[in-house]
Amino acid sequence: MKTIDLIVPCYNEAEVLPLFYNEVCAVAGNTPDFSFRFIFINDGSRDKTLDEILTFAQNDERVKYISFSRNFGKEAAMLAGMKYSSGEYVCIIDADLQHSPWMIPEMLRSLENEQQYDVAAARRTDRTGEAKFKSAFSAAFYSVINKMSSVEIPESAQDFRVMRRKVVDAIISMPEYNRFSKGIFSWVGFNTKWFEHENVERAAGTTKWSFMSLLKYAFDGIIGFSVAPLKIALTSGIIISSIGVIYAIYTIIKTLILGPDVKGYPSIICAVMILGGLILLALGIIGEYLARIYLEVKNRPIFIVDKTNIDLPEIKK
Ligand code: UDP
Ligand code: MG
């Protein structure tokens, strides 16, 4: 029998977890040709999430858990799940039932029958129920990142996907500290079959994303998957200084012909401010990359496990 591991990142999801668990049990029951394991990652929740997971684990040996020592973020939780997984297929799914577990059998079957595909991933058909301003921000982000980065990052793609083992191994071989999964999924390649998925409201609980955290996520994506911002600083620097040089030559010639001219303070102030701004911008961009290089070279672990019921020998470093 083929094995599949469901990876479920959970941060303060106590309210929705029983609903989620019932649904995935039903799905597993209806898919007898696969042996399921449910790997819950408790990402430093401050509510009863861990207790819920421990209760499931007591009565069901398919339930595995990894509990972090603090909140490390969804990216770290997904990575931990993948590192601790051993199934031939791995599925990443949110705990809030926004990713419909009923699609898993369909996705699995298409990977079984169509060998040319290695990933079955969901993408959303619409953005109903989402704030207008959030959708506009998201559209702008994807258009910027796709222009700047050499990997194509589809806007509607979700983290909800079933992958073959080789794809998971490729993803966990990427050791980077600043992880942006949507970029990583595209970067590793492999053929993806897309499944349309309607936007559904969360079954219970609240979203963990504030506007600031989304902004930071967008920023991490751009800096992590593109060096174009470094070039912006360079090109604009070259253009502005060329204009400066031409203007200086023009002024010298003009002064030689027409004599000195005391006017022009406003233009000097403008030039100083524009140039000062550009220099700060360039330094800021370099600073962002430097900060990330600094975090990468420190080589800190991406997550720290407090408790788990997964046997150590199964774990890949
Ligand atoms: N999540 C997590 N760690 C975090 C934030 C979120 O493991 O720091 C999990 C969360 O429990 C959920 C999934 O990631 O299962 C998606 O989070 P959420 O539903 O808040 O995001 P949204 O669907 O609003 O984008
Ligand atoms: Mg959600």
Side-chain angles (χ1 to χ4, degrees), residues 9 11 13 43 71 74 94-96 98 202 207-209:
Y11 177 51
E13 300 288 7
D43 185 13
N71 179 254
K74 186 184 175 188
D94 281 3
D96 58 7
Q98 279 186 312
R202 208 176 220 290
T207 178
K208 307 321 175 281
W209 293 93

